[in-house]
Every structure is written in C-alpha cells, then in structure tokens.
Amino acid sequence: MLLIHTGNGKGKTTASIGIAIRALGQQMRVGFGQFMKRDGQAGEQNMLKQLLNDNFHAEGLGFFTREEDRKIHAAAAEKLVSWASAKLENLDLLVLDEALYALGCGLVSQAQLQGLIDKAGACGTHLVLSGRGLPGWLEKQADTVTEMTEIKHAYKSGVPATRGIEF
C-alpha cells in the first residue's frame, strides 16, 4: 500500500510514527527515513534509533530556506533516496517523512520518488510518505491519503515550539 499524510496541520510525522509502531507490533520489518530533519533534532529520533537501529536514517540539514543552500540539501536528499532504495527489499514497511516537502522544494525529483514507489510495489513493501504539498499525480496512486487540517495552533498565539510536542 501507498499511504500519505499531508496537509498544513500538525500530526503528519506523528501519524507516520504510529503506523511504524503498529507494524513493529505485528513483527514487521520497518524502516524510517527523514528528509529535511537533522539527526538528533527531534525526540522521536531517539526512540526510532533504539527501535530500528540502522533502519532509521535522518539525513536532513534542516528545512530548506535559502536558495544558495540548494546543492547541499539536494545532496542530503539524494543520500536518503539511496538509503531508502537499498533498504526497500528487506522491509515490510518504509516511512519517508517529509518526502513531499523535499519533492515540493525540488530536492527530490518526481522520477526519484516514483522510482521508490515502483520499487516498493515490486518488493511488496508498504510505503508511507508525509509532508505538505501533495501533487495530483501522487494522490492518484495512493491507496490512502489523510489530510491534517490546522484549526488552531499555539505557535500562532506566540507560544514557541514545545519540547516533546513539536520536536
């Protein structure tokens, strides 16, 4: 199956982690890769490393905000694509967190992402993608798409990102 968590609301990564935990509970082989997010940046990374060992990989350099940094961000994204491709045939489920964000920024190409989708299908591996900006071509292929909608967020009231909640 191809499952996608998208939208402007909070919870895309959290939902993806939930699927990974559920699959682990069913004795499935799980991989979890993160585009954009620096290793050691978020609390979930500590737990995923403990649970998944080398089947967890955070390759990001932080969110892409400056065009002059495109080459280094693209190189990091390419490393994660290569890691994911190498892992696919030995997994039952692979999560690629912020894949849609990397796609939307042009750090990952449609061809690269489609290659991973095709390989996952050929290997019988479920694939979970998360991030904002779901393109129509990808929505058509997905088996399940969940959109997170922001209704209210503390950050907009001046509350900074909270340890254990946002990271």
Side-chain angles (χ1 to χ4, degrees):
M1 292 185 75
L2 175 59
L3 302 101
I4 298 174
H5 296 123
T6 192
N8 291 329
K10 180 176 168 26
K12 296 175 288 294
T13 297
T14 305
S16 298
I17 293 167
I19 291 175
I21 297 296
R22 179 174 285 160
L24 284 170
Q26 294 293 341
Q27 308 307 309
M28 294 172 75
R29 299 166 301 163
V30 175
F32 201 106
Q34 291 185 310
F35 290 96
M36 318 312 291
K37 296 176 181 175
R38 287 185 195 96
D39 193 16
Q41 177 183 15
E44 75 267 7
Q45 294 170 332
N46 297 327
M47 293 308 301
L48 288 168
K49 282 180 195 176
Q50 287 179 41
L51 293 169
L52 303 176
N53 300 307
D54 66 341
N55 284 339
F56 173 77
H57 191 71
E59 187 59 53
L61 302 173
F63 285 92
F64 177 61
T65 57
R66 299 177 343 148
E67 190 59 37
E68 56 266 28
D69 294 335
R70 177 172 293 282
K71 282 186 180 181
I72 60 171
H73 280 273
E78 177 64 39
K79 286 180 186 175
L80 188 61
V81 168
S82 294
W83 173 87
S85 183
K87 289 287 182 179
L88 268 171
E89 58 193 58
N90 296 313
L91 297 173
D92 300 306
L93 174 87
L94 175 62
V95 176
L96 294 176
D97 187 33
E98 298 296 355
L100 302 183
Y101 184 85
L103 178 69
C105 291
L107 302 175
V108 173
S109 70
Q110 180 176 342
Q112 286 174 306
L113 193 54
Q114 187 64 58
L116 290 173
I117 292 166
D118 293 344
K119 187 170 182 178
C123 294
T125 302
H126 302 296
L127 185 60
V128 179
L129 305 176
S130 73
R132 296 175 186 220
L134 174 63
W137 66 267
L138 188 52
E139 182 179 347
K140 288 177 187 173
Q141 291 183 66
D143 296 291
T144 301
V145 175
T146 302
E147 182 174 10
M148 311 300 187
T149 302
E150 181 180 311
I151 296 171
K152 183 178 180 179
H153 198 294
Y155 184 78
K156 290 187 176 178
S157 300
V159 177
T162 304
R163 182 175 164 255
I165 303 297
E166 276 87 25
F167 64 93

